Amino acid sequence: MNGYQTWTYCPEYGRLGSTPDVGPMPELLVRGLGIRSYGDYDFVPYPKGRGQTHGESWCYFREGESFRLFASLDERPGYTLFSFDTSSGVLSIQRDCKGLKCGGNYHVFDLFFAAGGENEVFDAWFRALGVKPRTERPIAGYCSWYNRYQKISAETIRNDLRGCAGQLAPGDLFQIDDGWEPRVGDWLAADRKKFPEGMRAAADAIHQKGFQAGLWLAPFAAQRSSRLFREHPNWFLQKNGRPWLAGIGWGGFYALDIDKPQVIDYLERVFSRVLEDWDYDLVKLDFLYAAAPFGRSTETRAGRMIRAMELLRRLCGEKKILGCGVPLMPAFGLADYCRVGCDVSLDWDNTPLMRRTNRERPSTRQAIGNTIYRRQLNGRAFLSDPDVFFLREENLKLSKEQKRTLAEVNALFGGVLLHSDDMSRWSGEARDFYQRLLRLRDAEQIRVHSQYGPAVSYVLDGREETLYIE
């Protein structure tokens, strides 16, 4: 069952599997932290008990190498909701269109079904959709987030650029992640304490090394303390007369209302500044689900999400978009690259407390799972971003085998291969392994052997190898 958005964990379920709700926490805490905002918890019923699963847009039943695929051909009329009850053997299909006023006839479903081999059924679905990826060029490179997080500056960027020089290839991506902006939502200028020469200087430095320059933004989000929210509180989505809490990140953040002309004007200025004035080649656009938590009487939440993605595509022109935190099907054919799983963590499966929150939490284990379970999107809907891998020894709690598993799964099933290390500190063994990862993208006979706790086999240089996922 495909999950709601990129971060939503959606494994292949066994006969007794179930789709978990938000963890057992006080409702006041859940609401106060905005935990439900990340997923479909407020508009999809979560039945209790084993054998009860649900998802959005598509699902498949698998027996060995045989697949039966049920999928939507159009989500604009509302998300297609699939639910399966193993006790009755019944698959139910609904349209998420509550509250919509159609004024007459309503075209409820455009559904697709195919049975056969994996490539056979997914190729047929994308032919029926008429969707092709915007690019066929995979990218490799560096992302600043998972080593430095928000503690970045012009100095740290220069340091990491020196580490990448001579090791990354010309045309690879060097992406500056969150931390460059004064506050989330305030995108028109850099934090001058961190980047006194501004973001154009950072892009120029990246280009001088021969790399593509990437920059992170959350275009529909603004934290409580941002200048944007303080000065324009009426630009934000409201619920029950108050700004809708889109999540707990950065101390709490809210979502811009794309129905406001002033919001569109602001976003046009932001993307003109980033892509034209500052000359970035790619933008990683994050927390995109925030644009469409609910619909209105004339538009479903899915239709609104598609409209938001079409807006971003218009604003970016031919520059590259790496989408993240977005419902998957609305991103088909609009994002060049797109995350297919949650954020990785610096350990295997985060803390026991985090494991009791929601399906969108950071987790290396769950990120690997989604990369495998959504493998069919790579090269069909967009090129998939599995999130980063690590080869470093410091500031990390992954074992050598866990690092190898993460890196190889990313190379086998993704179109984006980014790390978040200081490459100057890599050992000779790490550098050799990185070169192997680049070749692994051309591996043959890739197979996922088990539905539950998968094993992945592949052939590289005439030799078959198998990865067993914990």
Side-chain angles (χ1 to χ4, degrees):
M1 291 286 186
N2 174 62
Y4 172 58
Q5 56 125 317
T6 57
W7 304 332
T8 307
Y9 186 48
C10 47
E12 292 180 340
Y13 296 97
R15 183 174 60 87
L16 300 179
S18 60
T19 304
D21 201 341
V22 168
M25 293 179 288
E27 185 62 21
L28 185 63
L29 181 63
V30 170
R31 294 291 176 186
L33 297 178
I35 290 175
R36 290 186 177 274
S37 302
Y38 296 113
D40 60 6
Y41 308 100
D42 281 339
F43 66 91
V44 177
Y46 275 68
K48 307 299 181 183
R50 294 182 174 183
Q52 305 282 332
T53 57
H54 80 261
E56 283 82 11
S57 304
W58 75 94
C59 68
Y60 62 77
F61 294 82
R62 172 184 173 185
E63 185 174 2
E65 301 300 317
S66 177
F67 284 71
R68 287 178 291 160
L69 172 66
F70 296 82
S72 170
L73 290 172
D74 185 7
E75 293 292 77
R76 203 178 293 266
Y79 290 116
T80 305
L81 307 177
F82 294 95
S83 59
F84 185 64
D85 182 350
T86 57
S87 64
S88 64
V90 173
L91 175 68
S92 301
I93 307 174
Q94 295 179 301
R95 179 70 83 183
D96 172 39
C97 56
K98 184 178 180 180
L100 191 71
K101 296 180 180 180
C102 62
N105 292 333
Y106 185 66
H107 191 78
V108 180
F109 289 119
D110 280 297
L111 295 173
F112 175 87
F113 171 76
E118 182 175 4
N119 288 332
E120 179 184 6
V121 300
F122 280 93
D123 285 345
W125 179 33
F126 277 87
R127 282 197 301 271
L129 282 171
V131 169
K132 294 182 179 179
R134 289 184 51 84
T135 181
E136 296 181 353
R137 181 189 176 188
I139 54 172
Y142 165 87
C143 165
S144 65
W145 180 245
Y146 291 97
N147 200 6
R148 302 186 183 277
Y149 292 94
Q150 287 189 312
K151 296 179 180 179
I152 58 172
S153 64
E155 182 179 355
T156 67
I157 294 303
R158 285 193 297 268
N159 176 80
D160 291 346
L161 263 176
R162 286 192 294 270
C164 291
Q167 298 192 68
L168 292 184
D172 281 352
L173 178 68
F174 188 99
Q175 180 197 301
I176 300 174
D177 214 282
D178 185 13
W180 64 268
E181 72 285 356
R183 294 286 188 277
V184 170
D186 299 334
W187 309 114
L188 292 173
D191 183 331
R192 287 292 178 177
K193 292 182 179 179
K194 294 181 176 181
F195 292 87
E197 297 178 352
M199 298 314 294
R200 175 62 190 247
D204 288 345
I206 295 168
H207 288 146
Q208 288 168 9
K209 296 294 186 182
F211 305 137
Q212 294 186 72
L215 191 66
W216 177 94
L217 301 94
F220 302 126
Q223 64 189 104
R224 287 188 177 111
S225 59
S226 66
R227 179 177 178 180
L228 186 72
F229 183 72
R230 292 198 313 271
E231 295 183 355
H232 304 287
N234 61 323
W235 286 11
F236 292 81
L237 287 172
Q238 305 285 313
K239 187 174 183 179
N240 299 325
R242 302 178 63 182
W244 175 71
L245 183 63
I248 193 57
W250 314 288
F253 67 98
Y254 302 111
L256 286 167
D257 184 349
I258 60 173
D259 289 331
K260 305 279 189 183
Q262 308 95 314
V263 168
I264 303 302
D265 291 343
Y266 174 67
L267 292 175
E268 286 176 343
R269 285 190 290 134
V270 167
F271 282 94
S272 176
R273 181 71 52 86
V274 170
L275 299 175
E276 297 175 24
D277 298 348
W278 296 347
D279 198 27
Y280 281 84
D281 308 292
L282 175 149
V283 280
K284 176 183 175 182
L285 305 181
D286 210 346
F287 293 84
L288 298 183
Y289 70 87
F294 30 79
R296 52 184 180 170
S297 63
T298 57
E299 183 181 48
T300 65
R301 82 185 87 234
R304 185 182 185 87
M305 191 69 247
I306 294 169
R307 181 159 62 93
M309 292 303 298
E310 290 171 339
L311 169 65
L312 294 177
R313 186 71 269 167
R314 176 177 70 81
L315 295 177
C316 292
E318 293 306 307
K319 294 292 182 87
K320 296 292 191 294
I321 293 175
L322 196 168
C324 189
V326 63
L328 270 295
M329 200 164 163
F332 285 8
L334 293 170
D336 302 272
Y337 309 97
C338 192
R339 281 278 287 278
V340 290
C342 61
D343 284 15
V344 296
S345 53
L346 299 186
D347 54 14
W348 185 242
D349 198 18
N350 216 306
T351 65
L353 177 61
M354 285 296 292
R355 290 199 291 271
R356 294 168 62 86
T357 55
N358 59 2
R359 293 195 289 155
E360 289 75 29
R361 62 183 176 82
S363 163
T364 298
R365 175 182 173 273
Q366 292 193 173
I368 290 171
N370 268 27
T371 301
I372 294 171
Y373 298 126
R374 284 175 169 161
R375 63 190 177 275
Q376 302 92 355
L377 302 184
N378 188 39
R380 292 187 175 98
F382 36 63
L383 293 190
S384 296
D385 173 20
D387 206 10
V388 306
F389 66 93
F390 309 101
L391 298 184
R392 66 178 186 253
E393 300 296 329
E394 69 283 351
N395 190 26
L396 197 66
K397 296 180 181 179
L398 294 173
S399 69
K400 183 176 181 179
E401 188 59 31
Q402 288 169 342
K403 288 191 290 184
R404 179 201 171 209
T405 299
L406 172 63
E408 292 199 354
V409 166
N410 289 7
L412 289 168
F413 297 108
V416 179
L417 189 63
L418 303 183
H419 69 83
S420 200
D421 298 346
D422 180 350
M423 293 185 84
S424 68
R425 303 188 65 175
W426 276 3
S427 65
E429 180 183 5
R431 295 179 185 183
D432 290 343
F433 185 73
Y434 179 64
Q435 295 304 313
R436 183 179 184 277
L437 288 178
L438 297 177
R439 292 191 297 109
L440 196 59
R441 294 186 293 184
D442 297 322
E444 300 175 333
Q445 301 177 39
I446 303 171
R447 297 178 63 196
V448 179
H449 293 278
S450 173
Q451 293 162 281
Y452 324 117
V456 176
S457 70
Y458 60 88
V459 174
L460 181 67
D461 299 332
R463 178 181 174 182
E464 182 172 340
E465 297 198 34
T466 302
L467 283 172
Y468 296 96
I469 313 301
E470 297 180 24

